Amino acid sequence: MRRSLAVLLMATALIVVPTTSQAESSPVRIMVLGDSLSHGTAGDWSWRYRLWQHLSTNGVAVDFVGPRDGLFGPDFPAPSYAYPDPSFDDDHASRWGLALGLPEFSATELMADHDPDVVVVELGINDLTWLGQSPGWVVDRLVELVVELRAADPKVDVVLTHAPPAWIDGVPELNDLIDQESAGLDSEQSRVVVASADEDYGRVTHTYDIVHPNAAGELVIAAAVEDALSGIGVGPVATRPVMSTPLGPRIPPVAEVTAGDGSADVIWVPSPGATSHVVWQRDTITGEPATKVAEVSGSAVRVDGLVNGHDYAFQVQPVKGFWPAEADAWSRPVQVRPRADGPGAITSVVVGPGDRQLDLRWDDKPSAVGYRVWFQLADGSSGWSTLETDVPAATLRELVAGAAYQVAVQGRGVKADGPLSPMAGGRAGGVTPAGADITVKSVDAAGRLVATWQPIPEARSYDVRLDAVGDGVPLVKVTQQQAWIDANGLVAGSTYVLSVVGVNGELRGPRADATFRVPPRLTPAGLSSPGAVRRVRLAVSRRGVLRSSGRAVSGAEAYDLAVAPSSSCRRSPNHDRFLVVRSALDEPRSRVRLPRRVRRAHAVWVRWRAVRAGTKSAVRKASMACVRLD
């Protein structure tokens, strides 16, 4: 294997960027399967953008694929599309919080749905930190993932990415194990290479919170993946040193300011992904330099101590973690002149809930000709809206049921408007939806389900989930408005649970479940199940490479090979202990590197099964074999 890797490295030195004709005819389909470091948050470029930029600039035709195309944002699972530059192929298969121990989709589903040529895997940190798994356990899962990807497509190439934050406990050992295991994973049709994303990745210089990459960290990770892809003939190596780039937020906030008596109220639409905002003030009459007057996590601040009649300019600077935005990403200056000839400040606002509304009232100001109500969702995600009224009361309608809001009121004067009242809070009311009455209309052995439920008057949408019992990974997980589901892809003979929850804004009704079994797929008339594979032979090398064969079965269309660890060869394990490592083989003969957890056992069992017309052969004693490993 070392000799084959050496030949591969020599060959990659001669690889050049594909010609234009090659690029146009056969773009390389790349799927990035990762966690939050690959998903990115609102306002991030993402290292996926930097990789796409590198490949496109060098004339490499690529097609990024996957079930997602956005960033993690405040409305997750709804995506944020607040990329600084959204003009790139942003499809991917990464998700904030994803772990090998908690997959969202199976490797089989991802391969079937998106057909990648190359899978770039950046996973493992959440398994170490949140799930408390060992580096060895994580590497075993990575090896199993490679096996599963190849079972779906024997020609798929895989890039295993080092976990970048090497200062986290367990990460250095994990990265060493990735290097060791990857060295023996190459096959004749499929290559496995490593992206050393931990090299040059600094704890502060390349992150905004000690883990997640800032703009410079994204370039470091992308460069490591670019080098790895070059090793399998996809594009040139990364340009080094990597370019310098601003590290703070790049999307400016949008600010507004309202004058008060010796004060100013500054509000803004936040910069996507910013963790705080700094407010800068400058007195344009005195010409003094701008001074920092506040840093807040919200989207509004009152500045007191101003001189009436002076002109003031305010700017808002976004900050993400350690890194403030550079001057070109600050808000545009907004100017105001405080003065005392407007209505006085409203001292309090009383907020009462209604059905998807808030009822407001406040103290009347005789000098006010009217009032302006400011309101937004309490988390700032909606931005500020206004409503004007002539009386000291108002009703905010068509709100999100159950959601918390911030509210402030100012009096409107003939010459000037008054200051904003202190912020008040309230939660819009609403009716919690009742439970759904689910009816399974039909389910057939071809894997199609049709189910309905009575529309719930209070529900504005439904959260629908379809799970196979004991699987843990949903086949369907959607939010929809229609009161029915038509789903395909169910497995014959399996039991499923359909769950429906009525949703009214942030109010969720009780979950309703319907459990059903998909009928087994019948063998076509006149066609029996294939016979059992017999005369199974087995050998395992010192390096954990298993070779096994058996006698072919007449009429079989394909063969599956499964392995199971055991304490001895005296008694075969239960069938649920077996892991399928090769499927759809043309003959009962295969060579495979054992997963790490299997190699640690005292013995290993193999099981061969023949397949015909979608049915598998029975398992006989002659279909299995065992060999001791110690």
Side-chain angles (χ1 to χ4, degrees), residues 277-498:
H277 292 81
V278 176
V279 179
W280 294 86
Q281 164 197 311
R282 185 170 65 89
D283 187 331
T284 61
I285 299 297
T286 64
E288 296 176 355
T291 58
K292 175 180 175 180
V293 294
E295 181 170 2
V296 296
S297 59
S299 56
V301 68
R302 169 168 292 178
V303 182
D304 293 309
L306 306 182
V307 178
N308 287 333
H310 280 216
D311 292 324
Y312 292 87
F314 292 91
Q315 280 186 281
V316 180
Q317 176 190 26
V319 179
K320 187 164 189 174
F322 307 140
W323 301 103
E326 296 194 7
D328 61 342
W330 295 21
S331 72
R332 292 185 176 182
V334 289
Q335 296 194 357
V336 70
R337 178 179 295 173
R339 54 189 177 185
D341 53 2
I346 294 168
T347 56
S348 66
V349 179
V350 178
V351 182
D355 185 7
R356 299 181 63 240
Q357 67 184 39
L358 289 174
D359 297 316
L360 314 177
R361 54 187 176 83
W362 53 88
D363 49 305
D364 192 12
K365 294 295 177 183
S367 60
V369 297
Y371 302 91
R372 181 178 295 111
V373 179
W374 296 79
F375 62 98
Q376 69 168 357
L377 286 169
D379 63 7
S381 60
S382 64
W384 290 97
S385 299
T386 60
L387 172 70
E388 295 193 356
T389 177
D390 295 333
V391 296
T395 299
L396 307 179
R397 306 181 188 278
E398 297 300 318
L399 303 181
V400 179
Y405 284 83
Q406 285 182 321
V407 178
V409 181
Q410 65 180 152
R412 294 187 292 116
V414 176
K415 297 181 178 180
D417 296 333
L420 288 175
S421 68
M423 287 291 170
R427 191 175 295 274
V431 180
T432 300
D437 184 10
I438 305 172
T439 301
V440 176
K441 293 286 189 181
S442 64
V443 57
D444 57 39
R448 182 184 180 191
L449 162 72
V450 177
T452 63
W453 53 91
Q454 288 293 326
I456 303 173
E458 301 84 7
R460 293 186 165 264
S461 63
Y462 302 95
D463 285 350
V464 182
R465 179 174 175 137
L466 179 62
D467 293 90
V469 173
D471 189 355
V473 179
L475 177 65
V476 174
K477 186 178 180 182
V478 296
T479 298
Q480 61 183 49
Q481 293 183 327
Q482 65 267 25
W484 53 268
I485 181 175
D486 187 340
N488 293 286
L490 284 72
V491 178
S494 296
T495 301
Y496 288 82
V497 177
L498 174 64

Side-chain angles (χ1 to χ4, degrees), residues 101-169:
L102 295 172
E104 182 177 21
F105 303 102
S106 69
T108 303
E109 291 173 315
L110 290 173
M111 295 296 291
D113 292 345
H114 305 289
D115 190 27
D117 301 309
V118 182
V119 179
V120 180
V121 181
E122 179 276 305
L123 289 171
I125 294 179
N126 290 325
D127 297 275
L128 291 176
T129 56
W130 295 109
L131 301 185
Q133 300 292 356
S134 68
W137 185 95
V138 175
V139 170
D140 284 347
R141 300 293 85 72
L142 287 171
V143 173
E144 290 177 3
L145 176 60
V146 173
V147 171
E148 292 167 3
L149 293 171
R150 284 176 171 167
D153 181 0
K155 297 182 180 180
V156 68
D157 291 323
V158 181
V159 176
L160 296 180
T161 306
H162 280 177
W167 49 87
I168 292 178
D169 289 345

Side-chain angles (χ1 to χ4, degrees), residues 464-556:
V464 182
R465 179 174 175 137
L466 179 62
D467 293 90
V469 173
D471 189 355
V473 179
L475 177 65
V476 174
K477 186 178 180 182
V478 296
T479 298
Q480 61 183 49
Q481 293 183 327
Q482 65 267 25
W484 53 268
I485 181 175
D486 187 340
N488 293 286
L490 284 72
V491 178
S494 296
T495 301
Y496 288 82
V497 177
L498 174 64
S499 303
V500 178
V501 176
V503 180
N504 179 15
E506 294 192 2
L507 303 177
R508 297 173 58 83
R511 189 179 80 178
D513 293 337
T515 303
F516 61 92
R517 184 172 184 267
V518 182
R521 187 185 296 274
L522 300 177
T523 303
L527 186 62
S528 62
S529 299
V533 178
R534 300 179 185 275
R535 295 184 182 177
V536 174
R537 296 181 179 180
L538 167 64
V540 178
S541 71
R542 289 185 176 181
R543 300 188 64 183
V545 177
L546 179 146
R547 293 179 175 84
S548 182
S549 63
R551 189 172 68 179
V553 176
S554 176

Side-chain angles (χ1 to χ4, degrees), residues 565-580:
S566 180
S567 59
S568 73
C569 290
R570 287 179 293 184
R571 184 177 180 182
S572 63
N574 293 332
H575 290 302
D576 58 4
R577 296 285 308 279
F578 281 86
L579 169 69
V580 176

Side-chain angles (χ1 to χ4, degrees), residues 7-46:
V7 172
L8 174 63
L9 291 172
M10 291 173 63
T12 57
L14 301 176
I15 291 171
V16 296
V17 178
T19 63
T20 302
S21 60
Q22 290 173 321
E24 292 175 352
S25 61
S26 55
V28 181
R29 296 173 64 82
I30 298 176
M31 181 166 67
V32 177
L33 174 59
D35 48 36
S36 54
L37 277 71
S38 300
H39 194 176
T41 59
D44 288 350
W45 299 95
S46 83

